[in-house]
Amino acid sequence: MLSRLLMSALALLAMPVIAATPVLLVHGGAGVIRESLTPEAEALVRQDLESALKAGNAVLQAGGSSLDAVTGAVRVLEDSPRFNAGKGAVFTHEGRNELDAAIMDGATRKAGAVAGVRHIRNPVLLARAVMEKSPHVFLVGAGAEAFAKTVRIQTVDAKYFRTEERWRQLQKAREAEAKKQASSLGRAVHYGTVGAVALDRQGHLAAATSTGGMTNKRWGRVGDSPIIGAGTYADARCAVSATGWGEYYIRAVAAHDICARVAYAGKPIAKAAGEVVLDVIPKLGGDGGVIALDSEGNFAMPFNTDGMYRGWIDQDGGLHVAILADGADG
Ligand code: ASP
């Protein structure tokens, strides 16, 4: 009898642990200006955020990994012309599109990132290939594109990324610069970076971020998005993807600071994220927002801009999309 009890206890221990109900959060960038958002534009943005959530959630509901979920969600947003990532990326001062992306697997803390790529249709896929198929973490420019060829990542003509709206934004930024108005690198009207964080059934977290950076950027400028710990970070307990004025997110090492507050100070994810986004970064002079998720499915999406395109599927399975502050429009 005793041995049978012992056997069944051992069998229970050997069973795979279903640790978590999946959660998925996505963002499509901070810095929305209310007046600039027509109802038509808003409807399309909402549709895209929903499609991204559905793509990621399909993976999670099928028992797939958080890594696959964030890859799938970010890929959908990169393919939309309405976000500053992949197609629709902002232009550099010289009129080029230079794309950055990163991905991190919380369970293993493996990571991959690329910066300044100009012909990669889905930079998040290249970041993932860097993580899985190279001995490195971060590849840039021509070298990253040479690596892409060796792992059969899809390349496109540079023209693929162009949208007229982003081109107009560059002309405006350059005019403002010529007139010595507020720097186009500050208070950008549209940031539009995209990102996702997810918790899968195994209780594993992942984060991914993809961006064209900031309009009118120069000299090979790279923002926070592809920098592990600044714009993207995941560990066993916490995953973060950021958007906003990248220079400040780098200086604050924002994503890692949030997760460090969770790990070392035992702070709830909402408090940790709020402290960094609403206190540390504004005090330095920056702005933006994050999506942040912990291994129990608790999450927060603080931002100190007018709005942040964002969506989430919580543990009840409900799909939500919001743009302005307080989710009042969600
Ligand atoms: N954080 C991005 C960067 O600085 C911009 C954004 O979030 O849209 O490159």
Side-chain angles (χ1 to χ4, degrees):
M1 179 67 185
L2 199 64
S3 70
R4 210 186 297 157
L5 267 179
L6 198 66
M7 291 292 281
S8 38
L10 283 175
L12 265 182
L13 277 178
M15 270 167 62
V17 185
I18 303 296
T21 307
V23 178
L24 175 66
L25 320 179
V26 299
H27 72 77
V32 187
I33 295 286
R34 281 165 205 231
E35 303 82 61
S36 73
L37 204 60
T38 64
E40 295 76 31
E42 180 175 336
L44 292 170
V45 163
R46 283 176 176 273
Q47 250 174 40
D48 287 340
L49 291 169
E50 279 184 23
S51 303
L53 284 169
K54 284 178 183 161
N57 195 44
V59 173
L60 295 171
Q61 294 309 325
S65 69
S66 51
L67 206 54
D68 283 341
V70 296
T71 307
V74 166
R75 194 177 172 179
V76 168
L77 298 173
E78 286 179 337
D79 286 343
S80 162
R82 282 169 282 278
F83 301 93
N84 172 20
K87 187 167 183 64
V90 298
F91 283 95
T92 66
H93 185 75
E94 294 77 19
R96 290 200 289 254
N97 303 109
E98 294 179 356
L99 312 170
D100 308 331
I103 190 161
M104 187 157 184
D105 180 17
T108 59
R109 282 176 54 177
K110 286 186 178 165
V114 294
V117 294
R118 293 170 44 203
H119 305 92
I120 305 299
R121 175 174 168 157
N122 291 107
V124 71
L125 297 183
L126 185 56
R128 179 135 179 208
V130 171
M131 176 174 91
E132 291 176 340
K133 298 179 180 166
S134 90
H136 306 303
V137 168
F138 199 176
L139 303 181
V140 303
E145 298 206 352
F147 170 71
K149 289 215 169 75
T150 71
V151 288
R152 295 169 178 275
I153 291 286
Q154 187 181 357
T155 54
V156 287
D157 191 281
K159 286 202 290 287
Y160 164 81
F161 300 105
R162 180 187 171 112
T163 61
E164 292 317 306
E165 192 184 341
R166 295 298 186 200
W167 186 251
R168 271 197 302 278
Q169 282 172 10
L170 173 64
Q171 307 318 315
K172 266 177 135 173
R174 290 181 61 161
E175 276 161 31
E177 194 177 53
K179 289 187 206 142
K180 297 218 169 10
Q181 287 170 351
S183 159
S184 60
L185 273 184
R187 306 288 160 210
V189 178
H190 288 282
Y191 289 124
T193 290
V194 308
V197 293
L199 172 68
D200 64 27
R201 287 227 174 106
Q202 317 309 315
H204 294 161
L205 292 160
T209 313
S210 182
T211 189
M214 295 179 98
T215 301
N216 203 24
K217 65 184 183 181
R218 284 169 122 156
W219 306 303
R221 181 265 187 192
V222 176
D224 58 315
S225 310
I227 297 179
I228 299 303
T232 307
Y233 187 76
D235 60 26
R237 280 193 269 181
C238 165
V240 176
S241 170
T243 169
W245 196 344
E247 278 67 12
Y248 290 89
Y249 276 72
I250 294 173
R251 287 166 52 195
V253 202
H256 184 265
D257 189 4
I258 292 169
C259 292
R261 285 166 199 253
V262 172
Y264 309 148
K267 294 200 171 163
I269 191 89
K271 184 152 178 45
E275 284 173 358
V276 173
V277 171
L278 305 175
D279 186 39
V280 175
I281 288 172
K283 273 188 185 145
L284 297 176
D287 59 7
V290 302
I291 52 174
L293 174 64
D294 76 13
S295 53
E296 282 164 17
N298 303 303
F299 62 89
M301 295 182 281
F303 54 93
N304 71 328
T305 47
D306 231 19
M308 180 168 80
Y309 296 129
R310 60 202 187 281
W312 63 102
I313 294 183
D314 52 28
Q315 288 182 321
D316 299 334
L319 186 151
H320 310 266
V321 167
I323 296 177
L324 302 177
D326 302 320
D329 58 327

